[in-house]
Amino acid sequence: MNEARTKDIGMDVIGGFYTHMHDVLRNITGSSGPYLSIHDGFQPLANWADFLPGRDRVALDTHPYMCFTTVDTTPLAQQAKKPCRQWAAETNTSWTNFGVTTAGEWSLAINDCGRWINGVGAGTRYEGTLTGYSGTTGGDGPNGCLAWNNYEDWDDDTKTGLKNVALSSMDALQNWFFWTWRIGASSISGKIESPFWSYSLGLENGWIPANPRDAIGACGTASPASALKPSMTGGPGSGQIPASWRAANPWPPATLAPSGYAATELPTYTPTGPIPTLPVPTFTDSKGKAVNGGNGWFDAQDNTPVYTPVAGCTYPNAWDANDVAVPAACSGSRRVRNVIPQPKRTPAPK
């Protein structure tokens, strides 16, 4: 679940959901499947160290940004130290204590300037126009976001300063995805108005390093990560979730926060739908002979139907359900619960 608000949902509820999905996916992939990635839910990485004990190849995803907090107006030379100071040790410690930890999103945004960064029509912290923000601001007019959005006017010192921010961020996070590769021109002005967020624009103009490996050592060698333990990579010690954890993090949950609604008050789905399939690509070898690429399904006996709406039940819009009245729950006769069996480790190939 991307960017789950665990503070509102509750760690026990998200724990039950992730445990359930761990079982579902590991029953499909077996012991040779890919890593499963869970988002940190805006919690400190240290809070996840003991999460889902016995997990089988689970990675922790974090989305660190510098811009969605109090405005920092210090020189770029000072801001270039922030990623090392704020992210490096935490990331390395998480590698040691949790396992694979990646930054699935980060950007070069040292402030929240840029077209609609806080939402369409919303203002910015930097100029003091964002509703609800009362902290430090950076200025307005020509000294406000205009100066940061007009990248064509950035001098060499500014580009070098931003490049140093990029280098320290890359070294601090180690394994990352930049958000995003390319920002298109605004339909309003016809120009790129969020330059902090465009990796390709930075490459073209010199504030993103041509070789990310140039970042190695930018943060020094403090708090290095330990090598991953076998239990973190699918080896001994993985794949067996303690019964005590399952009992403390049940799925479905009894109640849902912050509303406090009992799960039985909400509409449910039933596992009676057909299994969707996708066309399998055709592969050929160097001699033009067809190669069977399989269908990606680990267990041919896993034919559990897909969850689908119950006939006669009403459901809120999944994409716009804020402040929507809770519809009547399905009757007990329509409510079907599908219990996913716990994954079984498959033997190593002979």
Side-chain angles (χ1 to χ4, degrees):
M1 181 181 295
N2 182 49
E3 296 189 343
R5 293 173 60 91
T6 54
K7 182 178 179 180
D8 296 329
I9 298 172
M11 288 297 288
D12 57 337
V13 174
I14 203 69
F17 175 73
Y18 282 151
T19 302
H20 179 73
M21 293 312 301
H22 176 275
D23 292 348
V24 170
L25 293 171
R26 283 292 168 247
N27 275 324
I28 293 173
T29 67
S31 59
S32 60
Y35 270 79
L36 311 178
S37 182
I38 60 175
H39 183 255
D40 66 11
F42 306 107
Q43 298 275 350
L45 297 182
N47 289 6
W48 295 86
D50 299 320
F51 184 82
L52 193 56
R55 55 189 177 267
D56 184 3
R57 285 157 297 142
V58 176
L60 185 59
D61 173 35
T62 185
H63 300 171
Y65 288 110
M66 295 188 287
C67 60
F68 300 122
T69 184
T70 303
V71 172
D72 185 349
T73 59
T74 58
L76 285 173
Q78 291 298 113
Q79 299 207 43
K81 300 176 183 178
K82 290 169 64 176
C84 297
R85 188 169 60 243
Q86 297 179 5
W87 302 337
E90 183 184 31
T91 300
N92 288 342
T93 300
S94 184
W95 266 84
T96 299
N97 295 336
F98 179 92
V100 175
T101 304
T102 64
E105 293 182 23
W106 68 279
S107 80
L108 207 52
I110 57 170
N111 56 54
D112 63 343
C113 292
R115 175 72 69 175
W116 307 149
I117 295 302
N118 295 300
V120 176
T124 65
R125 296 169 182 79
Y126 197 83
E127 294 186 325
T129 55
L130 180 65
T131 301
Y133 179 73
S134 59
T136 303
T137 60
D140 54 19
N143 296 319
C145 284
L146 189 64
W148 290 113
N149 295 344
N150 289 341
Y151 67 92
E152 301 97 329
D153 297 333
W154 291 352
D155 57 24
D156 289 342
D157 287 342
T158 298
K159 293 180 181 180
T160 297
L162 289 172
K163 185 176 182 178
N164 287 334
V165 174
L167 290 168
S168 62
S169 298
M170 292 173 178
D171 194 41
L173 300 173
Q174 297 286 314
N175 301 276
W176 47 264
F177 291 91
F178 188 92
W179 192 272
T180 185
W181 166 247
R182 179 179 180 272
I183 295 289
S186 167
S187 60
I188 298 174
S189 66
K191 58 178 288 187
I192 296 173
E193 294 194 39
S194 302
F196 289 145
W197 299 79
S198 180
Y199 196 96
S200 58
L201 186 68
L203 279 177
E204 294 166 3
N205 290 275
W207 60 83
I208 289 287
N211 184 355
R213 291 181 178 84
D214 291 344
I216 296 175
C219 290
T221 57
S223 303
S226 301
L228 295 175
K229 302 170 185 174
S231 60
M232 298 173 176
T233 58
S238 67
Q240 299 297 322
I241 311 299
S244 58
W245 171 269
R246 294 181 183 278
N249 299 271
W251 187 261
T255 58
L256 293 176
S259 65
Y261 282 110
T264 54
E265 296 181 60
L266 303 176
T268 59
Y269 294 79
T270 177
T272 58
I275 298 175
T277 58
L278 296 175
V280 178
T282 300
F283 300 97
T284 56
D285 60 19
S286 59
K287 297 180 180 180
K289 184 179 179 180
V291 176
N292 183 1
N295 62 7
W297 207 254
F298 165 72
D299 184 1
Q301 302 304 311
D302 182 5
N303 54 10
T304 303
V306 173
Y307 277 97
T308 189
V310 177
C313 291
T314 59
Y315 300 86
N317 183 342
W319 311 109
D320 187 19
N322 287 340
D323 301 320
V324 174
V326 177
C330 305
S331 67
S333 60
R334 291 173 177 162
R335 193 175 295 122
V336 181
R337 180 181 178 187
N338 182 30
V339 178
I340 301 296
Q342 296 183 24
K344 295 181 179 179
R345 295 193 61 79
T346 54
K350 296 181 180 179

